[in-house]
Amino acid sequence: MNQIYRARAPLRLGLAGGGTDVSPFSEEQGGFVLNATIDLYAQAILEPRDDGRIIFAAEDREETVELDSMPALPDVDPLRLHRGIYNRIVRQFNGGKPLSFKLTTFADAPAGSGLGTSSTMVVCIIQAFSEWLGLGLGEYELAHLAYEIEREELKLAGGKQDQYAAAFGGFNFIEFGPGADRVLVNPLRIKEWLLNELEASTVLFYTGQSRESAKIIEQQIERTKAKSSPSLTAMAALKQDAVSMKEAILRGDLVRYAAILRQSWEAKKQLAASVSNPQLDAIYDDAIDAGALAGKISGAGGGGFFMFFVPPARRMAVLRRLRRHNGEVMNFHFTAIGAQSWIQAAV
């Protein structure tokens, strides 16, 4: 009976410090990020074949590519990310010998959602290959490999936090740099009552606006290279916010947590002109008017998911107000488990 190799990796909410994990700031100044994974996932199904063919099927994107198996696939769209992962796996772990398989992927949130979907998918696909080929990659190895493929080989603009969040899972305070390769993941032990309270107090609202985070990040990089720019001042504030929010969560001080979330959104808008726009401002203002204490976009900005902190007694009022906007409230739970893989017998 043929075996099927399955993997999934959790998406994440960027709570504080997002942007400070992007080079060159993280390498020169050192960055701090606080994030938490949730029970929305990137998923991969890997089915070995013996006909010398490769099939990539990204079901959520409605894109399918069928190719002859070869040691290195052309670095082109569509599904350039899938091809790049295959090329690195074959080169590094299979002695340059081609593989034949079908890889089906999909995610619980769209690309451009601000939940780290693309990087999480890279981690997920690598985890599926690791299960098939018996690579035994640890969390740091998995995340670093995903980062190298996405940022260094495929030259896709972005930071480092998503790969490590997906690999490790849970609430993590992550240190990046100074230096190119220094990453330290500090898992946080969150009391059960506090997890429950944070879930009850968080409204995750998909704005209906997808965005290309790479363009926002490229603008952010250019601004931070100007050593006296407001963006650099904002980046330093975001870095400190990650430290302060970590302390607030560990102490169970949700009043302080909300205040930091509020000031982080103001600092984040200084990183690039397209982080917010009139439609996003209208969503934010309505949520605050209805009782939310704070809110910010998860990820680079420009669209995707708004994350609002709402006293539970005001939750329904905020949900009613958000219905005025063309979006969707997404229910979620926090998850402490990172990337996983398993073997499924073919049906």
Side-chain angles (χ1 to χ4, degrees):
M1 185 177 291
N2 293 332
Q3 291 181 321
I4 297 174
Y5 300 88
R6 295 273 287 107
R8 73 176 189 180
L11 306 182
R12 60 99 188 102
L13 294 180
L15 301 177
T20 70
D21 59 316
V22 177
S23 179
F25 182 88
S26 61
E27 295 175 7
E28 295 172 359
Q29 307 287 333
F32 298 148
V33 169
L34 180 67
N35 58 33
T37 52
I38 58 177
D39 60 350
L40 301 175
Y41 297 93
Q43 307 252 7
I45 305 165
L46 201 159
E47 304 170 73
R49 297 166 65 94
D50 56 12
D51 61 355
R53 301 290 284 169
I54 293 173
I55 300 173
F56 294 125
E59 291 295 328
D60 49 352
R61 300 169 65 95
E62 298 185 39
E63 292 181 343
T64 300
V65 176
E66 187 166 349
L67 304 157
D68 286 324
S69 180
M70 58 186 77
L73 300 176
D75 181 14
V76 294
D77 283 321
L79 302 184
R80 183 170 172 248
L81 212 56
H82 293 57
R83 297 166 189 249
I85 297 165
Y86 168 83
N87 288 344
R88 178 65 179 268
I89 292 291
V90 166
R91 186 174 74 247
Q92 183 171 342
F93 299 107
N94 208 50
K97 290 180 285 189
L99 297 165
S100 179
F101 57 89
K102 179 180 181 181
L103 176 65
T104 304
T105 58
F106 54 93
D108 294 335
S113 64
L115 302 181
T117 308
S118 296
S119 297
T120 303
M121 183 59 76
V122 177
V123 169
C124 180
I125 293 172
I126 295 172
Q127 184 67 35
F129 276 112
S130 180
E131 184 72 39
W132 179 22
L133 302 176
L135 305 182
L137 298 174
E139 291 94 340
Y140 277 104
E141 295 169 299
L142 178 62
H144 185 66
L145 180 57
Y147 172 80
E148 284 189 335
I149 293 170
E150 197 174 2
R151 304 287 178 244
E152 296 179 2
E153 296 187 9
L154 298 179
K155 307 296 184 186
L156 298 172
K160 294 182 180 178
Q161 67 157 312
D162 300 346
Q163 296 88 348
Y164 287 87
F168 280 84
F171 274 77
N172 291 299
F173 179 79
I174 312 177
E175 303 173 46
F176 301 97
D181 295 323
R182 182 181 180 273
V183 180
L184 186 61
V185 178
N186 304 279
L188 304 186
R189 294 178 61 185
I190 311 295
K191 291 182 171 60
E192 196 68 31
W193 74 264
L194 186 55
L195 279 176
N196 294 339
E197 191 67 22
L198 282 169
E199 285 182 2
S201 304
T202 303
V203 170
L204 197 56
F205 181 72
Y206 182 55
T207 62
Q209 299 182 50
S210 182
R211 82 286 182 271
E212 285 191 57
S213 61
K215 292 182 179 179
I216 299 172
I217 291 167
E218 284 166 3
Q219 186 179 8
Q220 171 190 319
I221 290 169
E222 288 305 310
R223 286 189 173 192
T224 53
K225 283 179 179 176
K227 299 301 183 185
S228 61
S229 74
S231 290
L232 202 59
T233 303
M235 202 78 82
L238 288 168
K239 180 179 172 180
Q240 181 55 48
D241 284 346
V243 176
S244 301
M245 186 177 282
K246 176 191 71 171
E247 294 172 356
I249 287 177
L250 291 176
R251 292 173 178 271
D253 186 350
L254 294 184
V255 173
R256 178 75 178 133
Y257 171 90
I260 297 164
L261 193 67
R262 195 162 52 242
Q263 71 188 32
S264 273
W265 176 233
E266 294 306 316
K268 190 179 188 69
K269 288 188 285 186
Q270 302 300 312
L271 297 184
S274 51
V275 167
S276 193
N277 58 49
Q279 183 182 344
L280 296 180
D281 291 342
I283 294 171
Y284 179 88
D285 291 342
D286 262 356
I288 297 297
D289 186 60
L293 297 181
K296 69 181 282 288
I297 290 283
S298 180
F305 278 89
F306 248 121
M307 180 177 61
F308 292 108
F309 184 81
V310 183
R314 299 298 303 165
R315 183 181 183 90
M316 297 313 297
V318 171
L319 295 184
R320 282 192 293 270
R321 187 67 66 87
L322 288 174
R323 290 193 194 114
R324 298 179 180 179
H325 300 275
N326 183 28
E328 177 187 1
V329 173
M330 186 77 78
N331 294 320
F332 76 94
H333 298 285
F334 293 111
T335 178
I337 299 172
Q340 298 172 285
S341 55
W342 62 95
I343 300 173
Q344 169 197 343
V347 179

